[in-house]
Amino acid sequence: MNLVIDIGVYRFCIQGCPSALYPDLKKLYSGSIDLHLDKPIDFYLSVKHTSFIRRFIKPQVCLDIDQQRPFNPIKKTLLLPSLEWGMNWCIASFDSTRLLIHSSVLVKNGKAILFPAAPGSGKSTLATYFGLNGWKVYSDEMAIINLHKNTVKAIHRPASLKESSIDVIKALVPDVVMSSVAKGTHKGDIAHVKLSSRESFDGFDDAVICAVVLPKYQVGAELVITPLSQTAGFSRLVHHSFNYTLLGKVGFDTLKTVTDNSQFFSVSYSSYTGLDTFLDELVS
Amino acid sequence: MGISSEQEHFISIFSSPQLLLGYTSKEWESLLRIMRGTDMLGSFYYFLQKHNLITSVPDFALMHLQSAKNHSDQQVQQVNRETDFLHELLQGIGIRPIFLKGAAYVLAACGNHNGRVMSDLDILVNKSELQKVESALISDGWSEKKLDDYDEQYYRKWIHELPPFINYERGVTLDVHHTIIPPISGITIPEETLFSDSHITPSSKAVFNDEMLVIHSIIHLFFNEEHEKSFRDIYDIQLLLESYEQKKCISHLYTKAQALGFNRELFYALTVTDSLFNSARIVHLQKKSKTFKVSGVQKWFVLRIIVPAVIPSHELLDRPWNRFARFVMFLRGHLLKMPIKVLLPHFFIKSYRALVFMVVGAYYYSK
């Protein structure tokens, strides 16, 4: 069965999507599924069995993206996270018409804060928490920045939570809409969280970037907010970018525009109390 | 047998690019998928640019084309830099390598390098210099790429080639060759010929001269056994031929191919490009009394097997006959490269491994 997922900037078609995955995808993407069926698709992700025998014994599947296979095959039960990674891979590998930074993006009052960070720093959990508490999440994974401008685009995606973050969010936001947990992926246990309805997402216009915050979750840490220089901030953005070198001068110019118009901080925290007031001030 | 109407439709774009003006966005979508599958999105950007069609491309399609162009433009920069490094390194031990294939197209500015993606660099050196080159590369931070044991043995024993080198720091792979056709095939091109047929670029690097560039590209395609992505290679040859024709008459190429014993391969290449891109080189050569002595079977083979085998293998175009044709070409490629006493054990081991893949899935052998 084929399924179209429209995430705003890009449109995906999941070919051969196992029906067992429907309930989770419907829960997470709802109004973005099979939207505008007449419009062209950017990326086809085909779910294929690796061999005839592996259809039945320890079912194993892989993802093909127009004759490319970016990941090793996986157990059929772990498909949802792989689909999400596959979608990220398509964007990061095949769109160099925008500057892409490995970062979550929170927006309030039309102003955006980027949270660039390596995996495991807590940026998705942070995005999820604030997304369920009055902020708009433009992405928990990728800042999509328009070239030569200081604006960031939204994509309609769920956030991805790992391991203990799953329980942290369940405890903080009991009525969260969460997928089933994929246990034992190569990144551990993974669950996805719906952050916005399609109706509200349709109102997520490009937002002006006003600040960049480098998050570091540390168990038991006091909230420490350290301002960073523009130079240090610029170099962190380069470090977390997917396609800065590919874009050459245009990438530099775009990042310079972002840097000239942003404040930079690094933040270590163990709870969101205090952090919320700080973030509110940045976009006030 | 032969070519389906969808395949005709796809191919016709190259000889009648104005057909694209009538394309719906769904047709663009399919076209881009096929191009991406055959690694030609970047080349297709430049094809559209050459025919002044960029402004007629729908926005969604332009994003994909522009991105592919950006990737290959960056690769051109990278090739220029890497060939500088290699040239300098090997010059230090008194060796001037001939850069082959993708790197050569960039250095010689053949026109087909625009938008072309490549996965590695290739250089040609004298067989007697292989050891020196190997140690120079290793001392400069290159490592020999880890292959599984059987493949490594095969490389050293039968292909007489060094395994690929990789520079982890810069993410570049390098193949070092001492010939352009595996010695095991029984065909040899004397080293003197190979090295005397080179040309020095303005940046003082060596590449093959015009004839050898085309002939090497043709040999590479027709001695290959995998043809899933050969459409890109045949398009490459078409562009190389076009750029050759701007400088010289194709009859010189005919003479050169004949002298080296690759008459049949040239016939294949010209027949396939005539058939796919509406060029008329075979007829043109006939007028100059340059004819190919080929049998009816060979003519049938090229039109009914080679042409279907090089059509993009994307699921939107692929038909059982294309798969059959690729299988025939797969067997043929192996037979050309290996005498039967080598081929049979090789096939045995490779099919045993294929069976393992089938049963327990791929990646069983990857470390």
Side-chain angles (χ1 to χ4, degrees):
Chain A
M1 180 70 182
N2 293 353
L3 201 85
V4 171
I5 301 181
D6 179 309
I7 64 162
V9 187
Y10 314 98
R11 290 166 53 76
F12 294 87
C13 177
I14 318 295
Q15 288 181 307
C17 181
S19 50
L21 215 59
Y22 281 18
D24 274 334
L25 286 174
K26 289 230 163 86
K27 199 192 261 186
L28 298 172
Y29 285 99
S30 60
S32 291
I33 288 186
D34 289 344
L35 190 65
H36 311 306
L37 286 174
D38 52 317
K39 283 195 189 170
I41 301 293
D42 289 295
F43 304 106
Y44 278 81
L45 280 65
S46 303
V47 180
K48 293 194 172 149
H49 288 271
T50 51
S51 75
F52 181 69
I53 293 171
R54 293 299 289 265
R55 266 172 207 261
F56 309 105
I57 304 168
K58 292 189 175 180
Q60 190 188 44
V61 289
C62 55
L63 268 188
D64 269 17
I65 299 162
D66 286 327
Q67 300 185 285
Q68 334 224 8
R69 187 172 288 184
F71 311 119
N72 283 353
I74 28 125
K75 278 193 216 161
K76 206 171 172 180
T77 49
L78 303 180
L79 186 57
L80 180 62
S82 284
L83 273 183
E84 289 290 319
W85 294 325
M87 289 159 84
N88 292 340
W89 182 84
C90 286
I91 302 171
S93 319
F94 296 129
D95 186 2
S96 64
T97 61
R98 298 162 181 110
L99 178 66
L100 306 174
I101 292 172
H102 195 197
S103 165
S104 47
V105 184
L106 291 179
V107 174
K108 213 182 224 183
N109 308 328
K111 292 180 183 171
I113 306 177
L114 308 189
F115 297 85
S121 315
K123 68 176 184 314
S124 284
T125 322
L126 183 145
T128 309
Y129 175 78
F130 285 101
L132 297 168
N133 286 282
W135 288 72
K136 296 171 183 165
V137 178
Y138 273 34
S139 169
D140 78 318
E141 176 69 17
M142 211 179 298
I144 301 172
I145 300 172
N146 295 307
L147 297 181
H148 299 295
K149 287 186 191 150
N150 183 34
T151 54
V152 62
K153 287 189 149 348
I155 42 177
H156 193 216
R157 300 285 300 278
S160 143
L161 297 179
K162 278 196 282 275
E163 303 275 78
S164 53
S165 303
I166 300 171
D167 291 328
V168 169
I169 291 297
K170 271 186 187 162
L172 288 172
V173 193
D175 58 347
V176 60
V177 179
M178 197 180 277
S179 70
S180 45
V181 180
K183 287 193 185 293
T185 75
H186 71 280
K187 293 188 177 184
D189 297 350
I190 305 270
H192 292 86
V193 173
K194 181 180 179 176
L195 294 172
S196 55
S197 67
R198 180 70 198 198
E199 294 68 33
S200 48
F201 168 79
D202 283 336
F204 289 8
D205 297 329
D206 292 6
V208 176
I209 302 165
C210 69
V212 178
V213 175
L214 305 166
K216 185 73 204 149
Y217 174 84
Q218 277 172 318
V219 181
E222 293 279 312
L223 176 64
V224 182
I225 299 167
T226 319
L228 292 177
S229 69
Q230 311 288 101
T231 320
F234 184 95
S235 98
R236 294 325 290 160
L237 288 176
V238 169
H239 176 78
H240 290 293
S241 168
F242 289 108
N243 58 2
Y244 173 75
T245 48
L246 176 56
L247 285 166
K249 185 174 180 299
V250 180
F252 175 85
D253 291 343
T254 306
L255 219 45
K256 185 175 180 301
T257 314
V258 172
T259 308
D260 286 345
N261 293 288
S262 298
Q263 295 176 275
F264 290 86
F265 302 92
S266 75
V267 168
S268 51
Y269 61 95
S270 61
S271 95
Y272 300 115
T273 329
L275 193 55
D276 47 0
T277 26
F278 168 66
L279 297 180
D280 275 331
E281 279 165 25
L282 290 178
V283 295
S284 63
Chain B
M1 267 195 324
I3 295 199
S4 73
S5 59
E6 289 89 353
Q7 294 169 1
E8 283 284 3
H9 187 64
F10 169 77
I11 294 162
S12 59
I13 295 162
F14 292 92
S15 38
S16 319
Q18 69 285 359
L19 285 174
L20 291 166
L21 294 171
Y23 262 43
T24 63
S25 55
K26 279 287 174 187
E27 284 174 310
W28 273 103
E29 172 197 302
S30 302
L31 183 58
L32 295 187
R33 293 184 63 196
I34 297 166
M35 291 296 181
R36 192 189 309 284
T38 191
D39 289 341
M40 273 186 58
L41 264 186
S43 303
F44 192 56
Y45 176 94
Y46 281 99
F47 171 83
L48 294 168
Q49 191 182 59
K50 189 164 99 187
H51 293 94
N52 295 318
L53 286 166
I54 293 289
T55 48
S56 328
V57 177
D59 284 347
F60 98 94
L62 195 57
M63 184 273 275
H64 295 279
L65 290 162
Q66 180 74 46
S67 297
K69 172 198 183 281
N70 291 348
H71 270 279
S72 75
D73 287 357
Q74 189 204 26
Q75 243 186 7
V76 168
Q77 278 188 352
Q78 200 179 6
V79 165
N80 280 316
R81 200 168 57 228
E82 290 299 328
T83 52
D84 274 348
F85 290 152
L86 278 170
H87 180 73
E88 202 173 308
L89 173 73
L90 297 181
Q91 205 175 28
I93 54 169
I95 292 171
R96 172 144 55 187
I98 297 185
F99 290 95
L100 304 174
K101 294 190 272 184
Y105 306 148
V106 171
L107 294 170
C110 297
N112 70 330
H113 69 286
N114 283 326
R116 194 177 177 279
V117 286
M118 59 186 102
S119 52
D120 47 22
L121 291 173
D122 296 271
I123 56 170
L124 178 76
V125 298
N126 280 308
K127 193 173 179 185
S128 58
E129 293 169 340
L130 280 178
Q131 292 305 317
K132 265 170 84 182
V133 171
E134 185 176 18
S135 16
L137 287 170
I138 287 173
S139 71
D140 192 50
W142 293 81
S143 325
E144 284 182 0
K145 206 171 174 180
K146 263 274 159 262
L147 298 168
D148 73 48
D149 299 341
Y150 175 74
D151 283 352
E152 169 137 2
Q153 224 190 64
Y154 176 79
Y155 257 97
R156 295 220 179 238
K157 190 168 170 192
W158 296 115
I159 309 201
H160 299 280
E161 229 166 56
L162 302 174
F165 289 86
I166 183 158
N167 189 310
Y168 287 103
E169 204 178 310
R170 301 201 299 270
V172 188
T173 315
L174 171 72
D175 280 337
V176 182
H177 309 262
H178 63 87
T179 173
I180 57 171
I181 179 161
I184 200 163
S185 62
I187 307 169
T188 44
I189 304 174
E191 269 194 355
E192 313 83 75
T193 316
L194 281 181
F195 284 85
S196 63
D197 278 337
S198 63
H199 157 82
I200 307 296
T201 68
S203 58
S204 74
K205 285 159 203 140
V207 294
F208 278 146
N209 64 15
D210 297 329
E211 285 77 22
M212 278 307 287
L213 265 183
V214 185
I215 290 171
H216 181 212
S217 184
I218 291 173
I219 294 175
H220 193 254
L221 175 59
F222 291 113
F223 279 81
N224 200 359
E225 58 276 2
E226 305 284 349
H227 289 277
E228 268 74 17
K229 299 198 175 188
S230 288
F231 190 79
R232 199 254 335 223
D233 301 314
I234 200 74
Y235 180 65
D236 236 7
I237 292 172
Q238 167 70 5
L239 294 183
L240 284 173
L241 287 167
E242 281 175 5
S243 109
Y244 185 86
E245 285 163 324
Q246 283 170 6
K247 296 185 204 166
K248 296 178 197 172
C249 172
I250 199 149
S251 56
H252 296 293
L253 189 65
Y254 174 91
T255 312
K256 181 75 193 177
Q258 204 148 47
L260 291 174
F262 295 110
N263 203 25
R264 191 178 55 184
E265 284 70 21
L266 180 66
F267 170 73
Y268 288 162
L270 298 185
T271 314
V272 176
T273 47
D274 277 0
S275 137
L276 293 175
F277 305 113
N278 264 357
S279 37
R281 298 190 180 98
I282 297 275
V283 175
H284 177 77
L285 281 172
Q286 267 164 4
K287 281 186 196 149
K288 297 186 171 280
S289 324
K290 309 271 186 204
T291 51
F292 292 95
K293 289 188 188 61
V294 282
S295 65
V297 173
Q298 280 173 322
K299 282 183 189 160
W300 182 89
F301 180 73
V302 67
L303 290 173
R304 296 288 173 239
I305 299 292
I306 303 187
V307 170
V310 303
I311 298 281
S313 60
H314 195 283
E315 59 186 16
L316 288 170
L317 293 182
D318 216 22
R319 295 286 173 277
W321 185 263
N322 302 88
R323 287 192 282 276
F324 172 73
R326 286 200 302 275
F327 181 66
V328 172
M329 292 300 280
F330 176 78
L331 294 180
R332 177 186 172 273
H334 274 290
L335 275 169
L336 285 176
K337 282 183 187 168
M338 298 183 215
I340 206 84
K341 75 173 179 12
V342 182
L343 181 63
L344 283 179
H346 180 65
F347 253 132
F348 177 74
I349 293 178
K350 283 289 183 187
S351 11
Y352 169 70
R353 289 183 161 217
L355 191 69
V356 173
F357 282 4
M358 232 169 72
V359 177
V360 297
Y363 309 95
Y364 181 81
Y365 287 107
S366 44
K367 288 172 185 168

